[in-house]
């Protein structure tokens, strides 16, 4: 297995990536068993979850941008 840093640095990285305690516990269990495929599966799941949140926030920003555009357009029409 390739070295990925100390156990503490791995935990910190997972926490920084927004992983829940249970996911970290599962990851470390697979880490201890040398099951890289299972580790990657957990990481991919977390990545997909975070990417989904990004896309949801992008849609929300687009809604706000549209309202800003409409309000600014109405201000110009009154001038």
């Amino acid at each position: 297995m390739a070295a990925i840093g100390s156990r503490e640095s791995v935990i910190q990285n997972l926490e920084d990536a927004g992983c829940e305690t249970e996911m970290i516990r599962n990851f470390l269990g697979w880490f201890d068993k040398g099951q890289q495929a299972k580790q990657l599966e957990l990481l991919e799941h977390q990545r997909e979850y975070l990417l989904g949140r990004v896309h949801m926030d992008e849609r929300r920003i687009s809604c706000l941008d549209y309202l800003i555009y409409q309000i600014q357009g109405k201000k110009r029409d009154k001038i």
Side-chain angles (χ1 to χ4, degrees), residues 15-27:
E15 288 173 349
D16 291 347
C19 297
E20 299 289 333
T21 303
E22 183 66 23
M23 188 273 194
I24 294 172
R25 190 179 357 251
N26 290 335
F27 183 90

Side-chain angles (χ1 to χ4, degrees), residues 60-74:
R60 290 174 175 162
I61 290 169
S62 291
C63 290
L64 291 173
D65 287 346
Y66 178 71
L67 287 175
I68 291 168
Y69 170 79
Q70 284 188 319
I71 291 169
Q72 288 174 339
K74 287 182 181 181

Side-chain angles (χ1 to χ4, degrees), residues 1 7-8 17 20 34 38-39 41-42 47 53 57 78:
M1 177 185 339
R7 192 174 187 86
E8 293 78 22
E20 299 289 333
K38 293 290 188 178
Q39 289 175 283
E41 195 175 299
L42 290 172
R47 185 181 187 284
R53 287 182 47 191
D57 287 343
K78 290 182 179 181

Side-chain angles (χ1 to χ4, degrees), residues 1-47:
M1 177 185 339
I4 59 172
S6 71
R7 192 174 187 86
E8 293 78 22
S9 68
V10 170
I11 292 169
Q12 186 62 55
N13 192 294
L14 292 169
E15 288 173 349
D16 291 347
C19 297
E20 299 289 333
T21 303
E22 183 66 23
M23 188 273 194
I24 294 172
R25 190 179 357 251
N26 290 335
F27 183 90
L28 293 174
W30 294 124
F31 179 81
D32 292 339
K33 294 176 184 174
Q35 296 290 322
Q36 290 179 330
K38 293 290 188 178
Q39 289 175 283
L40 290 171
E41 195 175 299
L42 290 172
L43 296 176
E44 270 300 315
H45 177 74
Q46 180 68 8
R47 185 181 187 284

